[in-house]
Amino acid sequence: MSKTKDTIKVRGFFRVQITEDGKGIVGDSGWRKNQVTNLGFEQYLAQTLGGMAGSKTVSHVALGTGGAPAAIDTTLAGEIMSSTQRKTVSPSTVASKTVQFTAAFASSASFLSAAANLSNVGLFNTSSGGTLFAGNTFTSSSANTNQNVNVTYQIRFS
């Protein structure tokens, strides 16, 4: 009898771009790896796959001014708190093993009340509160109130 070994790896990548009308992209994190939290694995992946009570799905993205989340974190350090703090994501399948979430923080929606040094991003299951699925930090980029921020986040299975 031959043995087969199935292994599945979950990897996440994100890109944050700051744009300004008439100037195009003025800040770009490039593609960066993420940190899936312990509850991200449990509640978003394992429980969802099993159709269990308490399972969660990604619906929102947040930006912050803090550092990288640890595996035990449930919140995003330095999350920008305003009436439009999190944006609803648009999910799509971009390859047979990749789900992509995109969102736009528009300056016209006043997501920033003053200039901020953005340095982290995270995926959540609600517009406020909830549980952090995954996130990470990137080189701090100054965003002004007249600029937009576009987020692309991919979760890849291999």
Side-chain angles (χ1 to χ4, degrees):
M1 181 153 115
S2 67
K3 292 184 180 182
T4 60
K5 184 178 179 182
D6 287 336
T7 59
I8 297 175
K9 292 182 181 181
V10 179
R11 299 182 309 157
F13 298 88
F14 66 88
R15 184 175 209 162
V16 177
Q17 293 181 317
I18 300 171
T19 64
E20 188 173 329
D21 290 342
K23 293 185 179 180
I25 297 171
V26 295
D28 188 346
S29 69
W31 284 102
R32 308 272 305 173
K33 291 182 182 180
N34 76 308
Q35 163 72 39
V36 177
T37 66
N38 292 342
L39 289 179
F41 279 113
E42 179 185 345
Q43 296 176 353
Y44 289 82
L45 298 176
Q47 289 180 357
T48 299
L49 186 61
M52 299 165 65
S55 65
K56 296 177 172 36
T57 56
V58 172
S59 61
H60 289 79
V61 65
L63 296 170
T65 59
I72 60 170
D73 284 351
T74 58
T75 60
L76 185 66
E79 184 175 341
I80 294 171
M81 304 301 244
S82 71
S83 61
T84 57
Q85 67 183 17
R86 293 184 185 166
K87 291 297 176 190
T88 302
V89 295
S90 296
S92 62
T93 302
V94 295
S96 66
K97 298 177 185 177
T98 303
V99 61
Q100 179 169 282
F101 304 97
T102 57
F105 293 80
S107 63
S108 60
S110 301
F111 78 96
L112 288 176
S113 58
N117 289 319
L118 304 178
S119 58
N120 62 6
V121 61
L123 295 175
F124 288 88
N125 63 309
T126 60
S127 61
S128 64
T131 302
L132 177 66
F133 166 64
N136 211 340
T137 189
F138 52 92
T139 302
S140 180
S141 294
S142 179
N144 293 303
T145 58
N146 67 331
Q147 295 174 323
N148 309 304
V149 178
N150 300 313
V151 176
T152 304
Y153 214 116
Q154 294 184 346
I155 304 298
R156 303 174 189 169
F157 298 88
S158 59

